[in-house]
Amino acid sequence: MAAKSDGAAASAGPGPEGVAGGARGSAGGCGEAAAAAGLPGSVGAGGPGPRYELRDCCWVLCALLVFFSDGATDLWLAASYYLQGQHTCFSLTLLFVLLPSLVVQLLSFRWFVYDYSDPAGSPGPAVSTKDSVAGGAAISTKDSAGAFRTKEGSPEPGPQPAHSSANAYRRRCCRLCIWLLQTLVHLLQLGQVWRYLRALYLGLQSRWRGERLRRHFYWRMLFESADVSMLRLLETFLRSAPQLVLQLSLLVHRGGAPDLLPALSTSASLVSLAWTLASYQKVLRDSRDDKRPLSYKGAVAQVLWHLFTIAARSLAFALFASVYKLYFGIFIVAHWCVMTFWVIQGETDFCMSKWEEIIYNMVVGIIYIFCWFNVKEGRSRRRMTLYHCIVLLENAALTGFWYSNRNFSTDFYSLIMVCVVASSFALGIFFMCVYYCLLHPNGPMLGPQAPGCIFRKASEPCGPPADAITSPPRSLPRTTGAERDGASAGERAGTPTPPVFQVRPGLPPTPVARTSRTEGPVIRIDLPRKKYPAWDAHFIDRRLRKTILALEYSSPATPRLQYRSVGTTQELLEYETTV
């Protein structure tokens, strides 16, 4: 039997029946993880898998350049305001730099503490790794890298000899140095830089190592990339977005030719917003094996799309705020409330708890103030069209109110600003159409589209496994073995038996191609898989992530992931209520 857990217990076995239990956890998503060999419909392919390429490294380096340019120009501008005696502008600029950075660093350090600490008073859940060839060996998920070391090319993991006192002392010293280093990094507000560099290191390690450890480093690189993309998304819309509106408002209020330093700060904030959105979508698609990866051409198209639409939106905000400061604040709050309610009404499934989901919806409401952000599974064409129509009307109204206070006959500068808002929004819509019509991962929008569900290096049908068991309705009694034998004998003797299920003759059954079972372990997670555009549970639930990494590192073959299907859920419920 499999023990219930919060995503921390996992086991590997030859099939659904060969499941070893684990200890109950105290945090994370509510579910149980089990690994079994030879089950179709897995999340991750057990083959060679994707490789870390040179352009992936260049993308991370460009992200670091965008991060440093945004922060450096904001701090430089704040220092310039202080030297010029503009204390109000200095305070606001520095506030929008430090406050979001502190929030993000606290969240990043909290993740580090959880990843590098063991649950207090818990020896760690037991993990059994078995496949169709080798026997099982129980290990603990606590410090799995030290408990088991697998050499490249060795078929099975082997236990290390007991640590001597010198090794234990050296290990404690290394652990203390890691904690001191991470504390210093986060105090210096460089948590995201560390995660970028760590993702780059893990990606290069996955490229240089052999096949056995390559997949392990690639998984860790994906986890680190997901963390830094979520942190950057939160920081940019708490820091760069208000900074962009503030500096544009100051430039419009002063009039004349803009100064170089405010223009650089505004441009860096705008590029940071566009880059972070495109990078988030790319990492999200790369992390999911049921979605086609986003190409770099598509990512660049997304950068240009968000760059011009956010520029038009921010400039319209700045123009209106330069004249109607109080009404601008009321408009922003009202727009955020409406968008947050719209997101909540859509019933998103991003986080593992209700309160985290509410906070996430509030952050998405902030994002919707500036640009489109898909948060619901399914065709988003209508929702995206409605959103951009609303944004177009709001931009026109805000710019029109500002233009109505200008001198129409002599102020040629005002007409230029109106044309800039309109042309920038039109360019953003143009690049959005280019992305969806030519560069979307599923194929051109107007042409034949490829299915969105794909498993790399394998041709498997999308959806639940073909051999998923569906439980009978609760109104039907369970059939005993004697009754089944009697029914079979009656059928052989020619006795007619009434059909239990009747199929409508007008709907012919659709043939389902059954995939051949593959050797090797499969990590079964007793949680329904979150639908795109949400992250998978093993990216959000850090306890589940640690368990998967422990199983993956100690397994002689690269395991695959399989989430619970609807049929399996019904079977478990029927079993629990009838036995």
Side-chain angles (χ1 to χ4, degrees), residues 313 332-346 361-362 364-372 375 386-388 390-391 394:
R313 185 74 165 164
I332 289 295
V333 173
H335 185 89
W336 174 76
C337 292
V338 171
M339 289 299 166
T340 303
F341 177 76
W342 188 29
V343 175
I344 294 176
Q345 186 268 339
N361 292 334
M362 295 170 66
V364 173
I366 298 176
I367 298 176
Y368 271 148
I369 295 175
F370 294 90
C371 64
W372 165 256
V375 294
L386 176 62
Y387 173 82
H388 283 99
I390 294 175
V391 168
E394 289 179 348

Side-chain angles (χ1 to χ4, degrees), residues 188-208:
L188 295 176
Q189 309 299 301
L190 297 176
Q192 292 129 293
V193 177
W194 171 266
R195 291 185 181 274
Y196 271 127
L197 294 177
R198 179 170 170 78
L200 183 61
Y201 166 78
L202 294 173
L204 293 176
Q205 286 292 321
S206 70
R207 184 177 178 86
W208 295 336

